[in-house]
Amino acid sequence: EPLAGLLRDPRMFCLENSVRILLSVDWLVLADGSSFPSATSTDSRRIFFDAGGSRFADALKFFLTKYEERGIEMDQIYVWEAKKREISK
C-alpha cells in the first residue's frame, strides 16, 4: 500500500473501488534494461530505495522481481522503516 494517496491506482477514487483496485499494480510503468547503460559500464549503478519497507515479502520483493524480469538487477538496495524490526533470515 503506498504511503501517499497520489501513488495509488488512479481508479482508487472512483465510485466502484474495491480491494482489487486498492492493491492494483497494473497501472505502474517500470523501466527495463534498455533504459540503462550496458551492465558492463563502470559508470552505471542501479540503486533501489524503499522508504517504508516493513516486510521484504511484500512490495520490495515485488519490485525487485519485476525489475529483474525486465533485465535490471540492483547493485544496492536501501530500505527504511520507521519502527525497529527484527531481521529475519
Side-chain angles (χ1 to χ4, degrees), residues 2-70:
L3 297 175
L6 182 64
L7 300 175
R8 293 184 191 273
D9 186 314
R11 300 170 293 180
M12 176 60 199
F13 302 103
C14 295
L15 295 176
E16 296 183 24
N17 62 15
S18 68
V19 172
R20 182 184 63 79
I21 291 176
L22 174 66
L23 302 175
S24 171
V25 294
D26 62 351
W27 62 277
L28 294 173
V29 178
L30 301 174
D32 61 23
S34 66
S35 304
F36 291 90
S38 169
T40 60
S41 172
T42 58
D43 297 332
S44 175
R45 291 189 301 161
R46 294 165 179 91
I47 303 173
F48 187 87
F49 295 92
D50 185 354
S54 60
R55 296 188 184 141
F56 179 79
D58 296 337
L60 181 60
K61 185 174 182 179
F62 166 80
F63 280 109
L64 295 179
T65 300
K66 292 300 177 186
Y67 279 122
E68 187 175 308
E69 289 171 0
R70 290 167 172 73

Side-chain angles (χ1 to χ4, degrees), residues 53-56 79 81 83-89:
S54 60
R55 296 188 184 141
F56 179 79
V79 182
E81 177 57 45
K83 295 180 183 177
K84 186 174 181 174
R85 304 281 183 175
E86 294 296 321
I87 298 174
S88 60
K89 295 180 180 184

